[in-house]
Amino acid sequence: MFQNMGLYDRIIRVVVGLVLGGLYLGGVVEGTTAIVLFVIGLVMIATSAIGFCPAYLPFKISTKGK
């Protein structure tokens, strides 16, 4: 599998994922919204870890430099 995410894209995703996870774990958001935000945070961290975002494929987007 090839990577289509650049360094800054990956850093931003990790930060946003950690913030969303923190909101859930800190009890700031509750209910279904909290679970959805937590899952989105996990997905953002996972895609950042592997450097590949499947949502970029249909649009042929790559933030990775040459």
Side-chain angles (χ1 to χ4, degrees):
M1 183 181 309
F2 65 95
Q3 292 186 342
N4 62 359
M5 293 173 54
L7 177 65
Y8 294 122
D9 190 7
R10 294 171 78 175
I11 291 171
I12 291 169
R13 283 176 182 258
V14 167
V15 170
V16 171
L18 291 174
V19 168
L20 293 177
L23 290 174
Y24 172 76
L25 296 174
V28 177
V29 290
E30 297 176 346
T32 305
T33 305
I35 295 169
V36 170
L37 289 178
F38 185 69
V39 169
I40 291 171
L42 287 177
V43 169
M44 293 185 87
I45 291 172
T47 57
S48 177
I50 61 174
F52 176 75
C53 179
Y56 286 178
L57 283 180
F59 305 107
K60 297 185 182 355
I61 296 173
S62 177
T63 59
K64 186 171 180 149
K66 295 185 182 217

